[in-house]
Amino acid sequence: MVDHCTTSAPLISIGVPVYNGAAFLVPALESLLAQTVSDLEIVISDNGSTDATEQLCREVAARDPRVLYVRQPTNYGGAANFNAVFALRHPGARYFKWAAADDVHEPGYLAAVLQLLESDPTVSVAHSRTDDVDEHGGHVRAWGDQSLEADHPDVAVRFASLSQRNYQCFSIFGLMRAEVLASTRGLGLYSESDRVLLAELSLRGRLVDVPEVLFHRRQHAGRSVRQYRTARERIAWFNPRLVGRPVFPEWRLGRGYLEAVLRAPLSTVDRTRCMAQMLRWTRLRTPHLVRNVLRSALDLAAGRVAWRGTRPRPGTPAGHPPTRALLP
């Protein structure tokens, strides 16, 4: 646990979960520290890196008191580390965002998305347009409108769009109201749970982008989506404890969406309408649900997976003591 009693609360807390991210870590952190909104903290949770990540983080933390570095004793998996940086935030921070250890933000990013949140209480997540850059920062491609309806005023329309369409989950790195994110279950310890979390956030408000490209996603060989091509393979990133066990990725997604609807602070009418969208999701995904069962049965019969151990419990691992206070 981190003691925040003697520190003043920042307006924004930025959580940077990292594992062996030394290659692009410094420019990623520098782009956050150079934001025109300076009332912030950066909380880094190092998932037991074996490269130069620890040294680089400690050097940055020594130069800027807004940086907190926590090293986890082992690699708990990407999802648990995302939840860890949120748990380690200053409890008085009004806003929170996740930031990857390889992406780059323009200096005006926070000012632009903060303005959206502070001017419109119906917004739960604010992000910007995105482009892709290569290892050297060169432009690769621009991402336009993904034809989502995440900013629609109707909650059932938002939920249907985010649960039933295929899209890039850029908004998981948007600025969020900390109290709204705290009311969710966070990132689930299963593949594609970022989609479930965005859908759950849409049940609490709109997801809106500013039109300028202020967020640069780094494309490189070490990205998890390149190392793990399918949902079954990506479980190794989300939750290593499930590797070698039947994982039923589509069933886990469906359960996540359903629980999100049941937990959300919705009126009876809106909850019913969102439940109707879950019925539609089930109809659309029935072939995938059936394939999940057949695939797992074949894997069990062939000995490729096994029912063993206990199910990992959701939660945040305890971190080592920080190298310094969050703020002076």
Side-chain angles (χ1 to χ4, degrees):
M1 298 296 293
V2 178
D3 183 8
H4 296 279
C5 295
T6 60
T7 63
S8 57
L11 178 64
I12 298 170
S13 180
I14 302 174
V16 181
V18 60
Y19 175 72
N20 285 352
F24 306 106
L25 178 62
V26 172
L29 293 176
E30 288 178 344
S31 77
L32 295 171
L33 292 170
Q35 291 295 301
T36 57
V37 176
S38 60
D39 188 6
L40 59 83
E41 67 175 9
I42 297 177
V43 181
I44 306 170
S45 177
D46 178 0
N47 227 359
S49 294
T50 57
D51 64 357
T53 292
E54 179 178 7
Q55 177 186 346
L56 293 173
C57 288
R58 293 189 184 280
E59 289 174 355
V60 173
R63 294 196 302 267
D64 197 314
R66 295 176 295 172
V67 178
L68 166 72
Y69 172 69
V70 176
R71 181 174 173 84
Q72 306 295 346
T74 189
N75 187 343
Y76 290 93
N81 207 26
F82 266 66
N83 292 333
V85 288
F86 182 63
L88 291 166
R89 77 193 186 284
H90 194 295
R94 290 173 55 195
Y95 301 102
F96 176 84
K97 83 172 251 78
W98 280 298
D102 46 10
D103 296 332
V104 177
H105 297 73
E106 289 293 325
Y109 172 88
L110 284 181
V113 295
L114 180 63
Q115 194 277 332
L116 274 178
L117 285 167
E118 295 205 320
S119 64
D120 190 342
T122 70
V123 177
S124 64
V125 183
H127 195 38
S128 75
R129 287 289 180 90
T130 298
D131 69 4
D132 288 348
V133 297
D134 61 22
E135 291 92 339
H136 309 291
H139 179 79
V140 175
R141 66 167 295 180
W143 288 89
D145 185 4
Q146 297 193 80
S147 298
L148 288 174
E149 295 179 281
D151 62 347
H152 198 281
D154 188 315
V155 63
V157 174
R158 295 196 302 267
F159 179 73
S161 180
L162 288 165
S163 62
Q164 296 171 20
R165 297 186 188 179
N166 187 29
Y167 60 94
Q168 299 287 319
C169 297
F170 298 132
S171 291
I172 203 69
F173 293 110
L175 187 66
M176 311 174 187
R177 302 182 194 277
E179 64 180 0
V180 171
L181 182 56
S183 72
T184 71
R185 290 195 170 186
L187 201 64
L189 307 186
Y190 54 88
S191 296
E192 316 303 326
S193 59
D194 46 352
R195 296 180 179 275
V196 173
L197 179 54
L198 288 177
E200 186 171 7
L201 288 165
S202 79
L203 297 171
R204 289 158 170 80
R206 299 187 301 126
L207 280 60
V208 180
D209 289 349
V210 297
E212 296 84 8
V213 175
L214 302 174
F215 176 73
H216 309 292
R217 186 176 65 168
R218 180 93 64 177
Q219 294 287 355
H220 58 92
R223 288 191 66 216
S224 60
V225 293
R226 292 193 179 184
Q227 295 180 28
Y228 312 110
R229 296 291 184 177
T230 68
R232 285 179 177 274
E233 293 172 345
R234 280 195 290 277
I235 194 61
W237 183 90
F238 278 91
N239 186 357
R241 297 181 186 181
L242 291 181
V243 174
R245 295 170 57 183
V247 293
F248 304 101
E250 289 291 331
W251 290 85
R252 287 179 180 269
L253 275 179
R255 177 179 174 177
Y257 290 134
L258 177 61
E259 290 177 343
V261 173
L262 294 176
R263 283 171 42 86
L266 300 172
S267 68
T268 300
V269 171
D270 284 341
R271 196 182 314 278
T272 301
R273 294 172 64 236
C274 289
M275 289 298 292
Q277 292 301 328
M278 280 304 307
L279 291 176
R280 184 171 187 270
W281 182 91
T282 303
R283 290 196 301 270
L284 291 172
R285 307 304 293 179
T286 293
H288 301 274
L289 294 168
V290 172
R291 280 198 293 269
N292 269 195
V293 174
L294 295 176
R295 171 73 180 274
S296 292
L298 290 173
D299 285 345
L300 283 165
R304 289 188 290 267
V305 298
W307 301 106
R308 65 174 185 270
T310 57
R311 293 182 62 186
R313 293 178 298 172
T316 300
H320 287 182
T323 58
R324 55 175 57 239
L326 291 176
L327 289 168

